[in-house]
Amino acid sequence: MIWWLKARLVHPLLTGGLLAFTLLSLVFQDGTILLPAVSINAGNTVLLTTFTPIIVAAVLVRCLDARLPSAEMTGMRAIPWMDSGLIIATLAVAVGAAWVGGELLNSTGVYLAGRNALFMTGLMLCARSIVGRASIVVPTAWIFIVIFLGHRTATAYYPWAITGLGIESRLAATAATAAFLLGTGLNQRLTRNKP
Amino acid sequence: MLLIPVTMAFIQRPTWPTLNSLPPLVLGMLLCVAHAIIGATIGQRLKPALAVPILSCVVFVVVAYPHSMQPFFLRHIMGEYFGHIGFGETVTFTSMLALFLPTAGVAAAAAFSWTRSPVAFRALVAIVLILVPTFTAYTMTKDWDYNPSINTGNVAVACAGSKPQVCLPEQASGSAKGIRSAVDGTFAMLKKYGIVDSAPTRIYDAMIYGRFTPANTRSTKYMWLSFAYKKDNVASSIISSYIHFPCKHPAPQALLTVGVWLEEKAGKAPTYQQISAEDPYYTRAQHREVTKTVDEISVKSTTEQSAWYRSTLTTACEGSR
C-alpha cells in the first residue's frame, strides 16, 4: 500500500495539487477576467475559477500515469480498484474543499470550481480510457471551447456548456456526476496495466 | 498554420496581398516561434500532463486579459494586437516591435536555459533577457492610449469637382459621382437659405484617415462621406454638421424642426420612425407638431424662411446657457 502510494506520487504531487486548487479557488472566488480580445459585444467575462479545476484533473492524471509496470502486472494487488479509490478520494477532497470554501466565503465561484472539477476529471478519465496519456488535452480544450463558443448571451451559456452553467443548474450537476461516474468506470475497465 | 487562413482567403477572392499587409502576418509567425520555444523548454522540465493545462491556461490569461486592463501600455506589449486595422491604416514598426519584445525576451531566456552553464548564471542571464526587452517595450508604449501607434492616410485619393472639391479614396470611385452631386446639391441649398456663406474649398472622406479624423478647418472638412452615401444620408450628415446653435443645449424640438426643414429641402426628410429610432422619447404628437411647423414655413418666400431660421437659432437658446 505504501509502495503504491509512493509510486503514484501521492504525497508530493497530489496533495500539493489539491492544495493549489483549493488555495487558488479561494483566492479567485467570484473574480472575473474581461476578454475584449475575444469579443467586445457579448460573452467576454470569464470566471477565473473556470481555470482552477484543470489542476485537479492534471495532477490526478499525472499520478495515475506514474506506474511501476512490472510490479503492477504481477497482479498481486487489486491495482485498478486502488486507482479508482484514489480517484474518488481525490475528488471527494476537492469537491469537499470547494463546498466548505463556498459555504464559508458565500462565493458561487468556489462552489463552481468544485462541480467543474468533477466534470473535467470525468471528461479526462473518459478520454484516458481511449487516448491514454494525451487525455489531459480534452478537458483543457473543453475550457476554451466553453469560453469561445459556449456563450449564448453575455451572461448566459448554452445548455451543453456544462462548466459555464450556474450552480443552481440541475443539468450541470447531473452531467458532472454522470461524467465522473462514467469516467471512473471506463478508467477502471479499459485503462488497465498499460505501461 | 497562420498561412492556412491567408491561403483560403486568397483562393476565395484572389487579391494579391499588399506589402503593408504582410508585417502583421510575420509578427504572428514570429510570436508562434517564441511561444514554441517557451513551450518546448517548459515541456522538457514538466510532465506533459501538467505542462499542457498550466501553460495553455496561464498563457491565455496573461496574453488576453491585459486588453481590459489599465495602464494602457500593458495591452500594447503582451503579444496580441489591440483592435482591428481599419481602412487606410497600417501598423507601425514600433507597435509591432513593442508587441514582440517581451515574449521574445521570455523565449530567449527559455532558450538560454538549455546551455550548460552554472544555474545561478543562467538565472541571472534569464532575468536580464526578460527584463530588458520588457522595459524597452514599456518605454516605447508608456505614452500611448488604447490605440496602438498606427499609420493612416495610406490611401490613393482622387479629388474632383470644385467648391467644394470632394476627395474620396480611389476604391470609392464607383460612387464618386453620386456623392459629388449630393454634396453640390446640399451646399447649393444651404447657401440659398443663408445657412452657410460659402462652401468649404475641399471635403475629404474621413475614412482616408482611419480612426483619427483630423480637425475641421474653415476651408477643409472631413466627413464620413462614403459611409453616409451607402446609407443614403450624405445630405443630412452635411446639414447636421452645419446647423450651429449659439448655445450648447438648444431646445430639442427647435433643433429637430430646423433639421427636418432643411432635409426636406434636400429631398430626404426623415420620417417619424427614423427619428424615434434614435430618440426613444420622441412621440407622434411631437412629430406632428414638427411637420406642421415645417409645412407652414416651407411655403413662405426664401428670405422669410432664412429669417425664420435665424430667429429660431436665438429663440431655441432662450432659457439655455
Side-chain angles (χ1 to χ4, degrees):
Chain A
M1 188 75 179
I2 295 292
W3 286 110
W4 171 76
L5 283 175
K6 283 198 172 168
R8 289 286 184 274
L9 301 169
V10 169
H11 297 99
L13 201 62
L14 196 60
T15 44
L18 282 173
L19 210 62
F21 162 75
T22 314
L23 279 180
L24 282 177
S25 298
L26 293 185
V27 168
F28 292 154
Q29 293 188 33
D30 294 338
T32 54
I33 54 172
L34 280 168
L35 301 170
V38 177
S39 161
I40 294 177
N41 302 320
N44 59 4
T45 310
V46 175
L47 266 178
L48 269 170
T49 47
T50 311
F51 298 104
T52 51
I54 199 73
I55 301 174
V56 177
V59 168
L60 188 62
V61 75
R62 171 74 189 93
C63 291
L64 292 176
D65 278 343
R67 298 176 163 272
L68 293 174
S70 48
E72 290 177 17
M73 294 243 257
T74 54
M76 293 297 286
R77 299 182 183 83
I79 294 292
W81 283 106
M82 287 158 84
D83 278 352
S84 293
L86 183 68
I87 293 167
I88 292 166
T90 307
L91 264 293
V93 173
V95 174
W99 190 75
V100 171
E103 197 83 340
L104 286 179
L105 298 165
N106 195 17
S107 156
T108 329
V110 182
Y111 282 119
L112 284 175
R115 186 200 66 194
N116 292 346
L118 203 62
F119 181 76
M120 285 197 209
T121 310
L123 211 59
M124 181 273 292
L125 290 173
C126 291
R128 189 167 186 264
S129 62
I130 303 163
V131 298
R133 286 184 165 240
S135 57
I136 194 62
V137 173
V138 175
T140 310
W142 176 261
I143 294 180
F144 292 100
I145 290 171
V146 169
I147 290 177
F148 288 120
L149 308 172
H151 281 279
R152 189 162 54 81
T153 65
T155 48
Y157 285 84
Y158 289 110
W160 61 259
I162 301 293
T163 48
L165 299 178
I167 195 67
E168 70 288 340
S169 163
R170 288 252 181 84
L171 169 70
T174 319
T177 318
F180 179 67
L181 292 178
L182 183 69
T184 314
L186 283 176
N187 186 62
Q188 163 142 9
R189 301 289 303 163
L190 300 177
T191 321
R192 188 180 283 185
N193 290 338
K194 273 185 204 157
Chain B
M1 212 161 89
L2 291 179
L3 285 175
I4 295 173
V6 178
T7 319
M8 277 161 66
F10 183 75
I11 292 167
Q12 198 174 17
R13 193 185 289 184
T15 312
W16 283 108
T18 57
L19 215 57
N20 282 325
S21 66
L22 290 179
L25 180 66
V26 175
L27 173 69
M29 290 170 140
L30 287 175
L31 280 172
C32 285
V33 172
H35 279 287
I37 294 171
I38 299 168
T41 309
I42 294 184
Q44 191 68 22
R45 276 146 216 273
L46 271 181
K47 285 281 176 191
L50 298 177
V52 168
I54 291 173
L55 266 189
S56 54
C57 293
V58 169
V59 169
F60 175 74
V61 171
V62 167
V63 172
Y65 190 19
H67 276 225
S68 57
M69 276 183 182
Q70 293 207 8
F72 286 124
F73 77 86
L74 278 175
R75 58 186 75 181
H76 297 306
I77 66 172
M78 290 317 289
E80 185 181 349
Y81 214 94
F82 188 70
H84 301 279
I85 305 302
F87 183 83
E89 297 179 338
T90 54
V91 294
T92 56
F93 180 70
T94 334
S95 72
M96 298 211 311
L97 191 65
L99 208 59
F100 180 57
L101 275 178
T103 318
V106 176
F112 191 76
S113 73
W114 290 77
T115 56
R116 289 167 189 276
S117 47
V119 177
F121 178 66
R122 273 186 284 175
L124 193 72
V125 172
I127 289 170
V128 171
L129 279 176
I130 293 171
L131 285 187
V132 169
T134 310
F135 187 73
T136 316
Y138 165 72
T139 49
M140 282 164 143
T141 57
K142 64 178 191 291
D143 296 329
W144 297 2
D145 60 1
Y146 49 84
N147 283 311
S149 109
I150 276 179
N151 297 317
T152 59
N154 211 327
V155 183
V157 178
C159 296
S162 65
K163 276 276 160 190
Q165 192 178 31
V166 178
C167 295
L168 299 167
E170 255 176 12
Q171 287 83 344
S173 56
S175 41
K177 222 174 160 192
I179 293 176
R180 230 172 46 232
S181 72
V183 169
D184 287 343
T186 314
F187 274 106
M189 186 272 293
L190 288 176
K191 269 193 277 188
K192 184 180 166 198
Y193 292 99
I195 316 295
V196 292
D197 305 329
S198 61
T201 332
R202 193 172 278 179
I203 300 185
Y204 282 100
D205 192 343
M207 194 192 213
I208 299 163
Y209 298 93
R211 64 190 76 182
F212 310 112
T213 309
N216 291 322
T217 61
R218 242 192 119 61
S219 57
T220 317
K221 275 243 165 202
Y222 302 90
M223 290 178 150
W224 292 94
L225 284 177
S226 23
F227 278 142
Y229 184 69
K230 250 191 185 154
K231 289 195 260 167
D232 199 21
N233 61 4
V234 175
S236 65
S237 67
I238 295 177
I239 288 166
S240 61
S241 73
Y242 271 98
I243 303 176
H244 292 304
F245 282 84
C247 55
K248 220 173 182 179
H249 301 291
Q253 197 75 356
L255 183 68
L256 209 58
T257 314
V258 171
V260 172
W261 167 62
L262 282 175
E263 289 182 36
E264 196 166 87
K265 300 286 178 217
K268 293 260 186 305
T271 59
Y272 167 71
Q273 276 78 8
Q274 279 168 321
I275 303 171
S276 63
E278 288 168 13
D279 179 2
Y281 300 106
Y282 188 65
T283 61
R284 282 205 184 269
Q286 281 174 323
H287 189 64
R288 268 198 298 279
E289 194 161 321
V290 168
T291 42
K292 200 173 128 235
T293 320
V294 170
D295 290 345
E296 280 168 11
I297 299 301
S298 294
V299 292
K300 294 182 183 170
S301 73
T302 310
T303 41
E304 273 177 313
Q305 287 191 39
S306 43
W308 168 82
Y309 169 70
R310 275 192 300 280
S311 71
T312 314
L313 287 192
T314 45
T315 50
C317 279
E318 281 164 11
S320 161
R321 274 176 297 121

